[in-house]
Amino acid sequence: MEPPGFKNMNLTVKPTAAEYPLCEEWRDTSEGSVFHLANIFLFFGFMGGSGFYGLLYLFTFLTVGFFCSTLWSWSDYCTTDSFLWSFALFGVCLGQVLHIAYRLRSVSFDKEFEELHNCMFQKLGVSLTHFGEIVACCDGQVHTIERDHCFAIEGKTSIDKLSVLLSGRIRVTVNGEFLHYIYPFQFLDSPEWDSLRPSEEGVFQVTLCADNPCRYVGWRRKKLYLLFAKHRYIAKIFALVVRNDIAEKLYSLNDKAFDRLGHRYDLRLPSYCHMSETELEKAEVFLQVPVQGAMTA
């Protein structure tokens, strides 16, 4: 059998026409600028953070970016699928922007609660949603104490809530002796709150009296513990701010603690914290502020 004569056969393959047009040169038109602008907006959009304002930032830039991408796709007849996807994503992001803006408008508080959030909770990263849960727990009520009226009386007032002073000044005394002041955005009863378990009951060991008209917000113990059980994050936030408040009060007392010889006593010593009243009298340690003239003498 003789081999086929390939030399005599015409095996030339005719080139087929390109299915898609080739890019022969760079088109420097306005449509290209819109395409680059769309990607710049998308880049900045994906740098958004968390929280309401972070989401608002994210979806706002994504909305503008996908809108520019939609305009670019509309200018080319061969990008129908790209136009449909860009337009769909533009609609989704625009819906998210409107939804977040509505929620931000609905999550609004009175001026005093806004100041409370800015001074105590915002620096800890507490979102407006979680702060709304905290405000709802106290029913959004702000209480008033007239001048020389007492918030708590030593040995009589029960510990049944946790309160934060919003305005005014509270004077704290024990056995008639001045201890310290409580200023706005400090807890009124943080030591008492931290000293009791949820199932325990107790009474104040100090007297809290208003030096001038005061306003405060208070959370009932039972309602607050139910909120803690539902939101562990809020429980951790309150544990942090309450113990920080106790530490600040402890250091302020440390500057006022002297014995009868005028020596400064450190309240952080465990022996002082656990001494009974009779032992304190024997040790001649009292919480008193020495007279300025006596100290200079």
Side-chain angles (χ1 to χ4, degrees):
M1 183 175 180
E2 296 182 0
F6 291 101
K7 294 182 178 180
N8 300 325
M9 298 178 63
N10 187 6
L11 300 178
T12 303
V13 179
K14 296 181 179 180
T16 59
E19 186 176 356
Y20 297 100
L22 299 178
C23 181
E24 298 178 354
E25 61 179 356
W26 184 269
R27 292 193 305 174
D28 189 11
T29 59
S30 59
E31 290 82 1
S33 301
V34 174
F35 175 78
H36 296 301
L37 184 63
N39 285 276
I40 291 174
F41 280 121
L42 293 177
F43 170 77
F44 284 111
F46 285 116
M47 296 176 64
S50 59
F52 274 113
Y53 291 103
L55 292 176
L56 186 62
Y57 171 91
L58 168 67
F59 286 108
T60 300
F61 274 93
L62 291 184
T63 300
V64 178
F66 285 122
F67 177 73
C68 293
S69 181
T70 302
L71 293 179
W72 171 79
S73 302
W74 178 260
S75 64
D76 193 342
Y77 298 104
C78 300
T79 56
T80 304
D81 50 352
S82 178
F83 167 78
L84 294 177
W85 273 108
S86 299
F87 185 76
L89 293 173
F90 162 73
V92 171
C93 293
L94 180 61
Q96 286 289 337
V97 170
L98 297 177
H99 176 68
I100 295 170
Y102 173 77
R103 293 190 63 183
L104 278 175
R105 184 179 179 182
S106 62
V107 183
S108 59
F109 308 101
D110 295 337
K111 182 179 179 181
E112 291 173 312
F113 284 107
E114 289 183 356
E115 293 177 351
L116 177 64
H117 176 262
N118 295 335
C119 294
M120 295 185 62
F121 295 97
Q122 187 177 24
K123 58 185 177 182
L124 299 176
V126 179
S127 64
L128 293 177
T129 304
H130 286 109
F131 186 70
E133 296 282 348
I134 296 173
V135 174
C137 185
C138 68
D139 298 327
Q141 296 182 356
V142 178
H143 307 277
T144 302
I145 308 177
E146 299 297 334
R147 182 177 180 179
D148 295 330
H149 286 205
C150 291
F151 172 81
I153 299 177
E154 178 182 353
K156 295 182 179 180
T157 306
S158 60
I159 305 170
D160 59 353
K161 58 185 175 183
L162 179 65
S163 306
V164 175
L165 185 65
L166 298 178
S167 62
R169 187 178 69 176
I170 297 291
R171 183 175 65 256
V172 183
T173 59
V174 57
N175 295 327
E177 296 290 336
F178 171 77
L179 289 181
H180 61 87
Y181 286 113
I182 298 177
Y183 296 98
F185 306 110
Q186 291 183 340
F187 284 97
L188 294 173
D189 42 11
S190 53
E192 290 78 11
W193 169 272
D194 197 60
S195 65
L196 297 179
R197 296 179 180 178
S199 59
E200 295 178 341
E201 296 181 358
V203 294
F204 279 82
Q205 301 301 315
V206 293
T207 298
L208 283 75
C209 187
D211 266 2
N212 44 39
C214 301
R215 290 174 65 82
Y216 72 94
V217 56
W219 296 271
R220 292 292 176 181
R221 287 177 61 89
K222 293 183 178 179
K223 293 187 66 174
L224 198 54
Y225 277 121
L226 289 176
L227 179 65
F228 291 167
K230 184 179 179 181
H231 299 282
R232 300 300 301 170
Y233 171 74
I234 297 179
K236 293 178 181 179
I237 291 295
F238 265 87
L240 179 62
V241 293
V242 166
R243 290 168 186 175
N244 180 70
D245 185 81
I246 295 174
E248 291 180 355
K249 288 183 172 64
L250 186 61
Y251 277 105
S252 67
L253 283 176
N254 191 52
D255 294 334
K256 301 179 178 65
F258 294 88
D259 60 15
R260 290 183 177 179
L261 298 179
H263 299 107
R264 188 184 300 277
Y265 198 88
D266 196 341
L267 288 175
R268 294 168 294 177
L269 296 177
S271 58
Y272 178 81
C273 298
H274 297 282
M275 291 174 68
S276 62
E277 185 176 357
T278 56
E279 290 174 339
L280 285 173
E281 293 176 355
K282 292 180 181 179
E284 296 183 349
V285 179
F286 297 92
L287 286 175
Q288 55 184 359
V289 181
V291 181
Q292 185 69 22
M295 290 298 296
T296 55

